[in-house]
Amino acid sequence: MSSRMSRGGRVAGGADRQGFDPFEENFNMGLAQPLSRSVRLNGFATCLRLEAVYWRILERIAELNQCSVNAVLSYVDREVHLRHGGVRNFSGLIRVVCVVFLLGPQVTR
């Protein structure tokens, strides 16, 4: 537990502000389990290793866009190459895409 957290999930010194302690709410450690999946990115077969929670988020993004997870990943791969010439850590980029999806557009400003 961080030094800013107190028992009961409240931020220490933060009056009535709610803190976050995932272990008080039956945290599912399975979500942290890395999973490797074979994917096809713009015609090239590769393997992508992400924690289970990120695969779940990607499934939600694909569902909202009415496409497959492979289509989402191919889109990110294509756009990062077109806009930035590529990326060294594609798995890291996908994790960031998932977090931005969860946080909403205000995080990109």
Side-chain angles (χ1 to χ4, degrees):
M1 188 162 34
S2 89
S3 60
R4 291 192 32 87
M5 296 285 295
S6 66
R7 281 277 183 221
R10 296 203 180 269
V11 176
D16 288 331
R17 291 179 46 199
Q18 283 292 92
F20 176 70
D21 184 352
F23 293 99
E24 287 193 18
E25 297 298 326
N26 300 320
F27 185 73
N28 179 357
M29 285 298 292
L31 295 174
Q33 181 67 36
L35 299 173
S36 295
R37 291 190 185 174
S38 295
V39 296
R40 189 167 285 278
L41 302 177
N42 300 306
F44 293 97
T46 189
C47 186
L48 188 60
R49 185 176 174 93
L50 297 168
E51 292 76 11
V53 69
Y54 292 108
W55 288 113
R56 280 188 157 174
I57 297 166
L58 285 168
E59 289 164 2
R60 181 69 180 128
I61 293 170
E63 179 183 305
L64 288 172
N65 286 289
Q66 299 177 336
C67 64
S68 67
V69 170
N70 273 352
V72 171
L73 295 171
S74 287
Y75 174 78
V76 172
D77 181 58
R78 183 174 52 254
E79 290 300 313
V80 77
H81 278 87
L82 289 173
R83 297 176 188 216
H84 303 284
V87 65
R88 286 185 177 210
N89 183 354
F90 187 71
S91 295
L93 174 62
I94 295 302
R95 288 182 184 93
V96 170
V97 166
C98 290
V99 170
V100 169
F101 168 75
L102 293 177
L103 294 177
Q106 71 277 5
V107 76
T108 60
R109 292 186 185 138

